[in-house]
Amino acid sequence: MPLDGIVTYALVEELSTELVTGRMTKIHQPTEHELIITVRKNGQNKNLLLSVHPNYARVHLTNEKYTNPKEPPLFCMVLRKYLGSGFIKSVEQISMERIIKIRVTSKDEIGDSLDYDLYIELMGKHSHILLVDPSRNVILESMKHIGFSQNRYRALLPGQTYIFPPDQGKINPLKLDPAEFVKKLDFNTGKIDRQILSILMGVSPLVSQSIANLAYLGDEKKYIEVFERFQTQLMENDFYPHIGRGQKEDFHVLKNVQLEEPTTSYETVSEMLDTFYQGKAERDRVKGLTYDIMRLLKNERSKNERKIKKQQQTLKKAEDAEQYQKYGELLTAHMHLVKPGDSQVTVIDYYDPDQKEISIELNPNKSASENAQQLFKQYQKLKKSKEVVTQEIEKAETEIDYLDRLIQQLEDAREEDLEDIRAELEDEGYLKRKSTKNKKKKKKVIHFDRFQATDGTEIYVGRNNKQNEYLTNRQADKEDIWLHTKDIPGSHVIIKSSSPSEETIVEAATIAAFYSKSKHSSSVPVDYTKVKHVRKPNGAKPGFVTYDNQQTVYVTPVESEIEKLRMKEL
């Protein structure tokens, strides 16, 4: 769900405590939708994420790492010019709307102190970040430029007067008397939750539904009581950040808001939001970047499936090869029965214990001898094709297995993994290699995902074929334990120990299951053996290995438990 005004209210209270009087030391714009501002306060650095992503617009402190572009975008450079080294004077919410104003005091070229306002409007696909000069209420720069041709109400362009989004005619719940609130409800009309939604500012359908449910079938006094409780929680900052992880994932900061079980509570609103949105925006971004590759791989997979289907039909015909040999021999023995122009001949089947008669189809334009030779040729052709087709089917099945592994890796890929995957596809001939003239190839440091078992043993995971091969063939010792999901596309996992405990093996197997196509399944089979028993066959596709002396363990991956074991990247 998107942030509503209530969550924004709780967030602003938290950010005011954490950031006010802090100094902006770094400003980065890793993507077209996101800003990361590093604020230093009381000797600590805190990263503030501002996102206007169309699906994941949000503001909160974050621990996630972002990759910054080589050249900062224009908006980022403008913010650095005006806000760099500035001090945060205040963090405010505009009424109970999803609009946050961060006032920053910084110095100009001659050392005079000036105030600037950074507005963040969290409104789904209409979200914006704008830098405004409060002395003139003029926009200095905006992350997205919106002219009057796109929005007749206001223009979000440098030099334009900043105007708030249109008023929805709702009332701030903190300024509404409970008795007045109840008077605005029409109990005869019904659909109380929708009425509450249309009356209260900053309230989402989740909150209005919860208020209606808590007062369900109650009288006016009951509704006043429920609304007063709701107001008190806001006024006293009595917040309970929690995430519901049922069939539909949701979050909120009010305890009475009903979320699907199981639920997890958090110390801060930022921690809740950082956890909820973790990886979601990146996966969405990566999905866009890999759309062309994913389509190519799926098309190649479909092509191989059609190829197998066609070859299986040929193989079925090849199964009848000996029948043609038999017909040829019987026809040779009964040539005297064939007359010129015959389209078939009936002969005695000497191979049948009962000596039954069978009919053999003939080409009327050929002699008996030529028909027999044709049958023998067909026999030789089918016999040879059976061997070739069997090999081609095996080759296509191997190709599908390889493509399945690549598709699984792309589905879980991070932005930094895409370069490796593209390079591999170029090496394998699926993509046209880009020109690298006059470009020096930089030696890339491989970063594995690292985990630490409960007993302290380190566990390494490769995220793509290049990492898998490097991890298994070069990083791991021969006596280390290697794990992989059984007959399921997934990552190579290494336990850095020759004799790990049973608990560590289960934890590593759970990680292997999570980094596979069966990450959402239960009782996933995972094989494990020593690295010395793992081999890559000559000419095999990247990431493909064979192994023996394995044992199998069945596990059910749970993301929250796996994340507890995660270590920082190398």
Side-chain angles (χ1 to χ4, degrees):
M1 63 165 288
L3 275 83
D4 64 12
I6 307 299
V7 175
T8 306
Y9 178 82
L11 181 65
V12 166
E13 291 295 318
E14 181 180 294
L15 294 180
S16 294
T17 304
E18 294 288 333
L19 302 179
V20 171
T21 72
R23 183 168 64 89
M24 291 186 173
T25 57
K26 293 178 184 177
I27 300 173
H28 292 290
Q29 187 178 343
T31 72
E32 62 176 323
H33 297 125
E34 279 123 0
L35 279 173
I36 296 288
I37 299 175
T38 302
V39 180
R40 188 164 183 81
K41 180 180 176 181
N42 298 332
Q44 289 185 321
N45 288 333
K46 297 172 184 181
N47 290 326
L48 176 66
L49 169 67
L50 311 178
S51 173
V52 291
H53 190 284
N55 298 320
Y56 311 116
R58 64 205 189 276
V59 174
H60 58 83
L61 298 175
T62 183
N63 292 317
E64 273 207 76
K65 303 296 180 186
Y66 288 80
T67 304
N68 297 312
K70 292 177 182 177
E71 295 293 330
L74 174 64
F75 184 61
C76 180
M77 290 194 290
V78 172
L79 291 185
R80 288 176 181 178
K81 175 185 175 182
Y82 288 101
L83 306 183
S85 298
F87 288 87
I88 296 178
K89 198 172 182 179
S90 64
V91 181
E92 303 171 20
Q93 180 184 22
I94 305 303
S95 192
M96 193 60 76
E97 293 286 6
R98 291 169 293 167
I99 303 174
I100 298 173
K101 181 181 80 173
I102 301 175
R103 176 153 289 185
V104 181
T105 300
S106 63
K107 293 185 178 181
D108 61 13
E109 293 87 347
I110 59 174
D112 291 338
S113 292
L114 295 172
D115 286 345
Y116 298 100
D117 288 339
L118 191 63
Y119 282 96
I120 306 100
E121 300 177 356
L122 303 171
M123 298 176 179
K125 64 181 181 180
H126 301 296
S127 299
H128 296 286
I129 300 176
L130 307 103
L131 180 65
V132 175
D133 178 355
S135 64
R136 299 178 294 142
N137 197 35
V138 168
I139 298 171
L140 297 174
E141 189 55 274
S142 60
M143 187 175 254
K144 294 186 283 186
H145 287 187
I146 307 293
F148 282 114
S149 60
Q150 296 166 275
N151 188 330
R152 286 181 292 177
Y153 181 77
R154 60 178 186 158
L156 302 177
L157 296 168
Q160 293 289 329
T161 300
Y162 176 61
I163 301 171
F164 288 126
D167 188 357
Q168 301 295 311
K170 297 182 181 182
I171 304 170
N172 187 333
L174 292 176
K175 297 180 179 178
L176 181 61
D177 182 75
E180 284 297 314
F181 164 70
V182 173
K183 284 181 183 178
K184 292 181 179 293
L185 297 175
D186 185 348
F187 293 97
N188 295 321
T189 306
K191 297 181 180 177
I192 299 297
D193 59 318
R194 293 189 185 180
Q195 292 186 51
I196 294 171
L197 189 64
S198 66
I199 294 168
L200 299 180
M201 182 186 293
V203 167
S204 62
L206 191 64
V207 176
S208 64
Q209 184 70 58
S210 295
I211 293 173
N213 288 344
L214 288 169
Y216 184 63
L217 296 180
D219 55 13
E220 290 186 7
K221 188 177 178 182
K222 179 66 175 176
Y223 274 89
I224 289 174
E225 179 191 321
V226 170
F227 185 71
E228 282 179 339
R229 201 186 314 155
F230 165 68
Q231 272 188 327
T232 303
Q233 286 182 4
L234 292 178
M235 291 174 179
E236 295 180 356
N237 294 336
D238 182 16
F239 300 123
Y240 178 73
H242 60 300
I243 296 175
R245 298 189 182 278
Q247 198 167 9
K248 183 184 178 184
E249 270 196 328
D250 269 322
F251 63 83
H252 214 272
V253 295
L254 297 180
K255 194 168 188 175
N256 292 333
V257 170
Q258 297 147 348
L259 302 180
E260 290 184 27
E261 296 288 344
T263 61
T264 308
S265 62
Y266 298 88
E267 290 290 325
T268 66
V269 181
S270 286
E271 187 185 354
M272 175 190 74
L273 294 174
D274 206 23
T275 303
F276 183 84
Y277 288 108
Q278 189 177 46
K280 284 185 171 67
E282 185 186 22
R283 281 195 293 274
D284 193 75
R285 189 165 61 250
V286 169
K287 190 176 179 181
L289 293 171
T290 60
Y291 175 78
D292 58 330
I293 303 178
M294 187 65 83
R295 186 175 60 179
L296 169 74
L297 295 178
K298 287 183 176 178
N299 286 343
E300 287 292 328
R301 194 186 190 285
S302 298
K303 195 189 298 180
N304 277 282
E305 283 181 331
R306 291 194 299 271
K307 186 178 178 182
I308 288 174
K309 193 174 181 181
K310 190 175 179 181
Q311 287 170 335
Q312 282 174 338
Q313 291 172 350
T314 305
L315 190 62
K316 195 173 181 182
K317 287 182 181 178
E319 298 293 338
D320 299 329
E322 292 183 1
Q323 189 77 358
Y324 285 96
Q325 183 187 31
K326 175 183 169 181
Y327 286 165
E329 290 173 351
L330 289 174
L331 182 58
T332 302
H334 293 85
M335 280 188 185
H336 61 283
L337 297 178
V338 180
K339 297 174 184 177
D342 280 352
S343 59
Q344 72 172 32
V345 63
T346 301
V347 300
I348 296 171
D349 184 1
Y350 298 130
Y351 297 97
D352 186 351
D354 298 328
Q355 300 283 294
K356 290 182 180 178
E357 291 186 341
I358 60 170
S359 294
I360 300 173
E361 298 293 326
L362 302 174
N363 184 337
N365 298 319
K366 292 183 178 182
S367 66
S369 176
E370 287 172 334
N371 270 292
Q373 289 302 314
Q374 183 65 34
L375 289 168
F376 286 128
K377 281 181 182 177
Q378 188 71 5
Y379 161 67
Q380 291 296 336
K381 183 181 177 182
L382 289 175
K383 184 182 176 183
K384 189 176 180 181
S385 71
K386 185 177 179 180
E387 297 172 6
V388 174
V389 168
T390 302
Q391 290 174 0
E392 287 297 313
I393 288 174
E394 288 176 1
K395 187 179 175 183
E397 286 173 342
T398 302
E399 189 86 358
I400 286 174
D401 178 65
Y402 173 63
L403 293 169
D404 281 342
R405 280 187 280 124
L406 281 174
I407 289 169
Q408 181 266 324
Q409 288 167 15
L410 269 182
E411 286 173 345
D412 295 332
R414 297 173 196 161
E415 205 165 344
E416 63 262 32
D417 299 330
L418 300 185
E419 188 181 334
D420 286 344
I421 295 173
R422 280 188 182 274
E424 181 183 329
L425 289 171
E426 288 173 1
D427 291 341
E428 294 299 312
Y430 291 99
L431 290 177
K432 189 176 179 181
R433 193 179 296 278
K434 292 180 181 178
S435 176
T436 54
K437 283 184 179 179
N438 303 322
K439 285 186 181 179
K440 289 184 179 179
K441 200 170 183 180
K442 292 182 181 178
K443 192 174 181 181
K444 190 177 177 182
V445 179
I446 296 177
H447 295 281
F448 304 111
D449 278 9
R450 293 199 308 156
F451 297 83
Q452 191 172 56
T454 305
D455 63 4
T457 306
E458 288 193 0
I459 301 167
Y460 290 1
V461 183
R463 295 193 305 273
N464 55 57
N465 287 330
K466 184 177 180 180
Q467 290 190 8
N468 287 336
E469 290 198 341
Y470 189 91
L471 177 60
T472 301
N473 300 328
R474 298 177 66 179
Q475 181 82 8
D477 295 327
K478 295 295 181 185
E479 294 297 317
D480 287 344
I481 301 299
W482 178 90
L483 303 93
H484 195 284
T485 42
K486 183 180 177 67
D487 301 325
I488 300 167
S491 293
H492 292 202
V493 177
I494 295 292
I495 301 175
K496 293 297 292 177
S497 171
S498 58
S499 54
S501 66
E502 192 73 31
E503 183 184 20
T504 297
I505 290 173
V506 171
E507 287 175 342
T510 305
I511 292 168
F514 181 74
Y515 278 78
S516 78
K517 195 175 181 179
S518 297
K519 66 188 297 181
H520 300 299
S521 303
S522 58
S523 296
V524 180
V526 178
D527 286 341
Y528 65 95
T529 186
K530 286 186 180 289
V531 171
K532 64 183 179 182
H533 299 306
V534 181
R535 294 168 295 279
K536 180 179 179 178
N538 290 333
K541 292 282 187 183
F544 180 80
V545 294
T546 59
Y547 55 91
D548 51 36
N549 293 289
Q550 74 273 17
Q551 296 181 61
T552 306
V553 61
Y554 291 82
V555 294
T556 300
V558 179
E559 185 174 0
S560 58
E561 294 301 313
I562 291 167
E563 288 303 321
K564 290 177 184 176
L565 305 175
R566 188 182 292 276
M567 298 170 66
K568 289 183 179 179
E569 287 187 356
L570 281 169

